[in-house]
Amino acid sequence: MKIRALLVGLFAVGLSAAAVAAEPIVIKFSHVVANDTPKGKAAEKFKELADKYTKGAVKVEVYANSTLYKDKEEMEALQLGAVQMLAPSLAKFGPLGVREFEVFDLPYIFDGYDALHKVTTGDVGKELLGKLEKRGIKGLAFWDNGFKSFSANTPIKKPEDLKGKKMRVQSSKVLEEQMRALGAIPQVMAFSEVYQALQTGVVDGTENPHSNLYTQKMHEVQKHMTLTDHGYLGYAVITNKKFWDGLPAETRSQLEQAVKESTEFANQIAKEENDKALEAVRASGKTEIYQPTDAEKMVFKKALVPVHKKMESRIGAETIQSIYKDTGFDPSKL
Ligand code: LMR
């Protein structure tokens, strides 16, 4: 009897030692923006929820502000399994060969968050995320950021004001075409390099949602900004498919819950974060903020919407039409 009790005791000690020794699963989540942005805050929220739902079995390490990888490198790192999660802007999937994502970059295709959500929460969004699988990537969710303003060191009231200006864009052919439609010269550049490029005059201007502009201090090196709302910038939360499929089923569903709730959080705070950032830029007194009239906005719209037709062969007419159908946008009605 004594021996039996001893054996049971030893077995129990062994079990708890094994539990203590069990290493948590580590998810490296890399991104390129500041912590104090919609994406930065949502990544932190995901970390907190993942810890809570998996009871510490998964540890998320968030690397913000390009501290681990820059734009292009982070995509490669995810495919190689050096990081497990990212939330790149939808404008950065073209170089991966998933050109359909560039549909989100078409100027004026969404006239606000409501129209956008019809796509990101519907079948079209689901189908687009599914297209990543053949690249070894699993698309988990869409996270909002916001609508972009143009900025430069000279006033921007009409398309001609950007003529000949070197404008930084993300790695999207649609965004390059958008700048050409305004007579500007597009310069593709990693996000981490934009501030310095603006400061040194390598580029004259850029386009951003306000939270990105403010947290990178771009307003300190851009004298003018115009609230054109001419395009959308948001994210796809992605993971390495092999890693995700290899997780224990229970852990995966706990993480799915963490993704779901952090997505709700991201999409709740995005507009407010951008509004706050705009007010902070205004308060800084460093950048003159111009609110175009409806008529002035229409001039930009007329100059930019032809980009939809021009990029049809790259993105696919079907993808563009399916978004028009969801949002009710009709380019012939301008
Ligand atoms: C940019 O490069 O301007 C953005 O994609 C950065 C980001 O992740 O919001």
Side-chain angles (χ1 to χ4, degrees):
M1 195 61 193
K2 259 192 184 161
I3 287 183
R4 193 165 169 257
L6 190 67
L7 282 176
V8 168
L10 281 176
F11 184 62
V13 170
L15 268 186
S16 58
V20 169
E23 292 288 322
I25 297 168
V26 174
I27 292 184
K28 289 189 176 165
F29 189 142
S30 168
H31 69 79
V32 299
V33 293
N35 278 319
D36 207 11
T37 55
K39 176 163 68 177
K41 289 187 174 181
E44 288 297 330
K45 174 62 90 182
F46 172 72
K47 171 190 165 106
E48 177 193 315
L49 292 169
D51 184 60
K52 177 174 142 193
Y53 289 132
T54 66
K55 299 192 177 59
V58 172
K59 190 167 161 281
V60 179
E61 294 171 358
V62 178
Y63 297 90
N65 246 329
S66 310
T67 44
L68 200 55
Y69 296 110
K70 297 200 275 187
D71 290 323
K72 193 167 158 284
E73 302 161 0
E74 69 172 17
M75 282 289 199
E76 289 161 5
L78 185 86
Q79 287 179 297
L80 291 170
V83 292
Q84 289 70 38
M85 278 179 81
L86 308 172
S89 145
L90 300 164
K92 291 176 183 166
F93 288 80
L96 212 68
V98 195
R99 297 170 171 189
E100 295 90 337
F101 271 60
E102 291 181 0
V103 75
F104 288 100
D105 300 328
L106 289 173
Y108 291 109
I109 194 162
F110 305 110
D111 71 359
Y113 286 101
D114 287 348
L116 167 79
H117 291 156
K118 286 194 178 126
V119 177
T120 51
T121 61
D123 290 344
V124 178
K126 211 177 285 163
E127 221 173 279
L128 284 169
L129 290 181
K131 289 188 189 295
L132 298 170
E133 302 227 344
K134 57 178 184 295
R135 300 282 181 268
I137 293 173
K138 171 135 188 88
L140 297 170
F142 291 102
W143 282 357
D144 288 354
N145 189 344
F147 291 85
K148 294 177 285 187
S149 287
F150 286 121
S151 65
N153 278 322
T154 45
I156 311 158
K157 295 194 171 165
K158 50 187 187 311
E160 295 82 77
D161 294 335
L162 288 175
K163 203 163 176 192
K165 300 266 183 227
K166 281 180 271 160
M167 298 293 283
R168 181 267 170 173
V169 289
Q170 305 171 79
S171 56
S172 157
K173 295 292 174 204
V174 167
L175 296 179
E176 287 185 37
E177 195 52 43
Q178 169 202 272
M179 290 304 186
R180 278 190 212 104
L182 298 171
I185 305 153
Q187 306 270 311
V188 175
M189 187 179 292
F191 187 64
S192 53
E193 285 157 20
V194 183
Y195 174 85
Q196 207 184 1
L198 290 169
Q199 190 188 36
T200 56
V202 168
V203 290
D204 301 307
T206 185
E207 54 167 11
N208 266 298
H210 308 131
S211 54
N212 277 357
L213 176 109
Y214 180 66
T215 54
Q216 297 297 321
K217 298 189 169 45
M218 291 181 203
H219 61 292
E220 293 181 0
V221 288
Q222 293 279 265
K223 293 197 177 71
H224 294 271
M225 176 168 131
T226 300
L227 310 182
T228 37
D229 286 329
H230 60 277
Y232 173 71
L233 190 156
Y235 310 106
V237 183
I238 57 175
T239 182
N240 179 302
K241 186 169 157 39
K242 215 163 140 198
F243 164 77
W244 195 255
D245 291 345
L247 288 170
E250 196 193 354
T251 308
R252 197 167 45 240
S253 68
Q254 290 160 340
L255 290 177
E256 275 162 5
Q257 185 61 24
V259 169
K260 183 172 173 282
E261 287 178 36
S262 49
T263 299
E264 284 159 10
F265 173 79
N267 299 354
Q268 245 164 38
I269 64 164
K271 181 171 184 312
E272 200 186 313
E273 290 293 317
N274 280 304
D275 289 350
K276 274 198 307 208
L278 178 62
E279 286 325 305
V281 173
R282 206 185 297 278
S284 77
K286 294 191 190 296
T287 308
E288 200 164 306
I289 299 168
Y290 183 68
Q291 173 68 65
T293 63
D294 287 350
E296 283 169 329
K297 260 191 169 181
M298 188 51 82
V299 177
F300 275 103
K301 232 180 194 177
K302 289 207 161 130
L304 289 175
V305 168
V307 171
H308 294 208
K309 191 84 199 145
K310 199 137 192 219
M311 297 312 283
E312 198 177 80
S313 60
R314 177 171 171 86
I315 299 168
E318 228 177 83
T319 303
I320 299 177
Q321 288 303 328
S322 63
I323 292 200
Y324 288 170
K325 198 159 158 256
D326 273 359
T327 62
F329 182 78
D330 183 350
S332 69
K333 290 224 174 88
L334 275 190

